[in-house]
Amino acid sequence: MNQVETEINRMITIVKNQQVRDGSWRYCVEGSVMTDAYLIILLRTLNIHDEDLIRRLAARLVDKQEQNGAWKLFHDEEGGNLSATVEAYYALLFSGYHKKSDKNMQAARHFILSRGGITEVNLLTRVMLALTGQYSWSQYALLPPEIMLLPLTFPVNFFDLVGYARVHVAPILIVADRKFFIKTQRTPDLSDINVPQRIHQPSKQYRSILELIESGVTNLLYLPNQIHNVAIRRAEQFMLERIEPDGTLYSYFSSTFLMIFAFLAMGYSDKHPVILHAINGLKALACKPTEQIHTQIFTSTIWDTALLSYALQEAGVPSSSRTIQQAGQYLLSRQHKKYGDWMIHNPHAAPGGWGFSDINTINPDVDDTTAALRAIRTLAKADPSYRQAWDRGVNWVLSMQNDDGGWPAFEKNVDKELAKWISISGFDSIGTDPSSADLTGRTLQFLGHDVGLHIRYPTISRGVQWLMKQQEGNGSWYGRWGISYIYGTWAAITGMKAVGISPNHPVIQKAVRWLIKAQNSDGGWGESCKSDIVKKYVPLGFSTPSQTAWAVDALLAVSEEPTSAIERGIQYLIGSGNKYDWTTTYPTGAGLPGGAYFHYHSYRYIWPLLALSHYKLKYLGNDAR
């Protein structure tokens, strides 16, 4: 127990010292090489000669290259990732600091050709290549812009897609319609890796969607040319209305990159204030996780600040401390007061959520909202301003429950089967926003532990019933926004326990047995990002701090006495505190299955601190504070 106390105090000291002046914590979101590569490509395409930035971004790309010439999305990805490799290879050539004759570039070229060339890359990479003249727009089967004009009552419409999908699709509709591309004297020639293009045939379901859209368009009271022009202008207006104060579109790097090209396709000058503002917004996403610069796909400031403030309070830091007070003031200032797209499917709720990024003002999500509310709960008991924020936040979370009983991330009831038929790579995973086990479990945990709701409430009962139905045959749950089955199982167990489900319930006991079986010999837990791709648990072979903490925290919630599995997990967490290698930086945050995974630098503190603190509180009692 002395070791536990020492490790808790060590992490408290580190976290307190890393808080910035405005009360937030600002860690880097480290993703794939895509953002670094695209920023180089954008700057070179627009003849913006920021040489220091381009040189440093190129240096990071080289540093991330594998010995076989490829780039990976995660450490144990077999061989490498074709799309990431094409992006990095192209960007290094575009930077001007690397040539095709370089040994590492030859290795990258060999890997690309061995995987089928640039015709086999994912959708976003193909769009980027088409925008810079390396890929033919004629190979696409994309949505017609007219989908922008279909009413909400039509069987399939633009708002059947979730917000983060819509802000990527809208600019693609424009650039694909105009078959727009920009080539400069510095644009590399990728013809040597552009093997004969394979036409991606649309599926029968996708053709049905096109026919349905066409039938809806014929009922619009405009001439065909008018309809098309109005649809393009509607897409333009859609983007303009969702630009954040920092210039980014919806706070995402990738959608902003696409938006810049869409506006250029519509005739905007590259010196237009909107485009210059967007470029500055993308540059501002650069961070320095170590000595290297990295461009984030978004910032995680609200998420990190809310979770760290909550973790510190669970570890015994009083709410009256300067650290918690400053964090509370920061979170209070970031609560959303605007109506965003979430209201389209939830029209009777008032604003009250929080977003993931500090630059996000219009796109709140359920997980960040419950995280922020956990952080201000104690403050809300004494301060009316926090109490008002608390009430607005709780009401918003309750209003976001889907009709099936679960909770989504961003938008209510955006899970139409027709929308999943859209033939865009990975769209079945990211086009809609269905209920997920991790969101539902974490929301139930908040509503039970922090709001005081119980299984006897209909809202809670429906959530639990939905969650129980999602349990896998082996006892686990799939988590959408973390890796993957350990994450989902932790959320489900802690959520059900918080609202009054007995630890002896067969559903929970089955989950406990699965977790114990998945424990590694070193006492920790580790799951591969491959799980997220194949939708089946794939052990990593090594343990990670965040996944170990999730598993330990789940077992703690339903174990009255410390078990061998818990004790071994705690020992791993104590011993991993000072480690810094690929096991501690392995991405355990999920974005797009098979396409985007994130290492949150805050996770090495948040989850171990919570697990150790809950261990201390449960088995030493409240006096341990």
Side-chain angles (χ1 to χ4, degrees):
M1 195 55 71
N2 287 336
Q3 290 178 302
V4 170
E5 186 79 35
T6 298
E7 182 62 9
I8 289 173
N9 289 334
R10 186 188 72 85
M11 284 194 285
I12 288 174
T13 300
I14 291 172
V15 170
K16 279 185 171 183
N17 289 337
Q18 291 178 343
Q19 187 179 31
V20 300
R21 187 171 296 179
D22 66 1
S24 69
W25 280 271
R26 297 178 182 272
Y27 294 93
C28 189
V29 178
E30 200 162 356
S32 74
V33 297
M34 182 269 288
T35 48
D36 297 328
Y38 281 34
L39 187 52
I40 292 173
I41 293 164
L42 177 67
L43 295 175
R44 284 293 189 231
T45 299
L46 299 185
N47 292 308
I48 299 172
H49 305 298
D50 193 335
E51 293 308 311
D52 180 63
L53 177 59
I54 291 172
R55 188 182 295 109
R56 295 175 68 195
L57 290 170
R60 182 178 185 271
L61 291 180
V62 171
D63 186 64
K64 294 293 180 181
Q65 190 176 18
E66 299 291 323
Q67 294 245 335
N68 68 345
W71 280 263
K72 292 183 175 183
L73 299 182
F74 49 90
H75 180 84
D76 57 323
E77 187 174 27
E78 293 175 9
N81 184 273
L82 175 61
S83 295
T85 303
V86 169
E87 290 163 348
Y89 176 78
Y90 189 32
L92 288 176
L93 291 176
F94 228 144
S95 75
Y97 298 111
H98 298 270
K99 303 186 295 292
K100 290 184 179 181
S101 58
D102 295 346
K103 186 177 179 180
N104 68 312
M105 301 296 280
Q106 290 179 349
R109 179 179 178 275
H110 177 77
F111 175 83
I112 292 167
L113 290 173
S114 73
R115 293 295 181 96
I118 64 175
T119 56
E120 300 302 316
V121 297
N122 65 33
L123 174 76
L124 185 59
T125 311
R126 292 204 305 271
V127 169
M128 179 274 292
L129 292 170
L131 286 169
T132 53
Q134 304 292 343
Y135 199 93
S136 172
W137 283 112
S138 63
Q139 302 303 311
Y140 287 93
L142 292 173
L143 293 171
E146 284 77 6
I147 194 174
M148 299 292 305
L149 303 179
L150 297 177
L152 295 175
T153 53
F154 197 71
V156 61
N157 64 81
F158 189 60
F159 287 92
D160 286 335
L161 305 177
V162 68
Y164 56 80
R166 291 194 298 267
V167 294
H168 288 82
V169 170
I172 292 175
L173 294 179
I174 295 172
V175 293
D177 178 73
R178 301 289 170 91
K179 294 181 169 50
F180 180 76
F181 68 90
I182 302 176
K183 264 189 164 182
T184 73
Q185 291 183 341
R186 301 190 70 155
T187 304
D189 177 13
L190 297 186
S191 59
D192 57 329
I193 57 171
N194 191 355
V195 297
Q197 293 188 5
R198 176 171 67 89
I199 297 177
H200 296 264
Q201 295 290 347
S203 66
K204 181 179 178 181
Q205 291 173 322
Y206 178 73
R207 290 195 296 271
S208 299
I209 287 287
L210 291 181
E211 291 170 3
L212 186 59
I213 293 172
E214 185 177 345
S215 71
V217 170
T218 58
N219 293 323
L220 297 175
L221 301 178
Y222 297 98
L223 295 172
N225 285 343
Q226 288 178 319
I227 290 174
H228 190 75
N229 291 334
V230 170
I232 292 293
R233 292 297 173 185
R234 181 70 61 84
E236 175 192 21
Q237 194 62 33
F238 173 85
M239 291 185 292
L240 288 170
E241 291 172 354
R242 287 157 182 81
I243 294 175
E244 292 284 8
D246 72 328
T248 60
L249 177 58
Y250 235 47
S251 76
Y252 299 129
F253 177 98
S254 46
S255 58
T256 307
F257 175 90
L258 295 171
M259 177 186 74
I260 291 169
F261 281 95
F263 286 151
L264 292 170
M266 297 195 70
Y268 285 54
S269 162
D270 59 7
K271 301 297 188 294
H272 192 286
V274 170
I275 289 180
L276 293 178
H277 195 199
I279 293 168
N280 288 333
L282 295 183
K283 286 184 178 182
L285 288 170
C287 67
K288 303 171 187 175
T290 54
E291 293 301 315
Q292 294 176 336
I293 197 166
H294 172 55
T295 312
Q296 302 170 100
I297 195 167
F298 42 61
T299 63
S300 59
T301 314
I302 305 301
W303 180 243
D304 292 334
T305 301
L307 290 174
L308 283 167
S309 176
Y310 168 64
L312 288 173
Q313 291 176 72
E314 290 291 280
V317 177
S319 59
S320 59
S321 72
R322 181 177 175 82
T323 300
I324 304 303
Q325 290 287 322
Q326 286 185 314
Q329 283 297 317
Y330 179 81
L331 291 171
L332 194 63
S333 72
R334 295 293 174 165
Q335 187 176 30
H336 289 196
K337 297 179 173 61
K338 298 178 184 177
Y339 283 92
D341 285 349
W342 55 266
M343 68 168 292
I344 292 169
H345 300 285
N346 188 14
H348 303 300
W354 276 263
F356 190 77
S357 299
D358 59 323
I359 56 177
N360 174 347
T361 66
I362 54 176
N363 185 33
D365 68 90
V366 172
D367 221 5
D368 277 279
T369 301
T370 58
L373 290 168
R374 285 185 184 95
I376 67 168
R377 183 187 66 164
T378 305
L379 299 170
K381 293 178 180 178
D383 189 319
S385 61
Y386 283 104
R387 183 69 204 191
Q388 291 172 4
W390 169 271
D391 290 342
R392 289 196 302 269
V394 171
N395 288 333
W396 188 81
V397 167
L398 289 169
S399 79
M400 289 293 290
Q401 187 176 26
N402 282 333
D403 290 348
D404 63 12
W407 270 267
F410 295 96
E411 296 181 20
K412 182 176 181 177
N413 292 332
V414 180
D415 190 23
K416 191 178 288 186
E417 194 63 33
L418 280 173
K420 298 176 185 177
W421 290 4
I422 296 171
S423 176
I424 295 178
S425 176
F427 231 72
D428 58 337
S429 301
I430 65 164
T432 58
D433 190 17
S435 299
S436 68
D438 47 327
L439 262 297
T440 302
R442 285 178 55 73
T443 304
L444 289 173
Q445 196 279 337
F446 165 73
L447 293 174
H449 183 268
D450 298 289
V451 181
L453 301 185
H454 192 270
I455 187 66
R456 64 178 177 272
Y457 291 92
T459 292
I460 302 302
S461 177
R462 289 173 53 232
V464 169
Q465 288 173 20
W466 181 88
L467 194 55
M468 286 186 173
K469 290 177 184 176
Q470 307 309 309
Q471 189 175 31
E472 303 281 331
N474 63 8
S476 67
W477 281 265
Y478 168 71
R480 166 69 179 85
W481 301 100
I483 306 299
S484 263
Y485 291 90
I486 294 173
Y487 187 69
T489 304
W490 160 69
I493 289 176
T494 54
M496 288 188 291
K497 174 62 169 59
V499 296
I501 301 300
S502 168
N504 296 320
H505 192 288
V507 165
I508 289 183
Q509 284 301 305
K510 188 176 183 180
V512 167
R513 288 193 294 272
W514 179 82
L515 276 176
I516 292 173
K517 187 178 179 181
Q519 190 172 23
N520 292 330
S521 59
D522 63 4
W525 280 260
E527 180 176 357
S528 173
C529 292
K530 295 176 186 176
S531 292
D532 191 48
I533 300 170
V534 301
K535 298 297 183 289
K536 179 182 178 181
Y537 175 70
V538 178
L540 180 60
F542 296 87
S543 300
T544 71
S546 54
Q547 291 168 331
T548 299
W550 295 332
V552 168
D553 203 43
L555 296 176
L556 281 169
V558 293
S559 303
E560 287 306 313
E561 301 292 334
T563 65
S564 171
I566 291 172
E567 295 287 6
R568 291 171 60 223
I570 291 293
Q571 283 295 334
Y572 172 85
L573 291 176
I574 292 171
S576 68
N578 288 310
K579 282 180 64 179
Y580 195 78
D581 56 24
W582 77 264
T583 63
T584 59
T585 60
Y586 189 83
T588 56
L592 167 63
Y597 300 101
F598 308 112
H599 166 50
Y600 297 109
H601 286 251
S602 60
Y603 275 22
R604 64 182 308 182
Y605 305 116
I606 293 168
W607 307 116
L609 183 55
L610 279 170
L612 291 169
S613 299
H614 291 162
Y615 174 86
K616 173 184 167 183
L617 286 169
K618 183 152 192 174
Y619 300 134
L620 283 187
N622 290 329
D623 290 341
R625 283 186 187 272

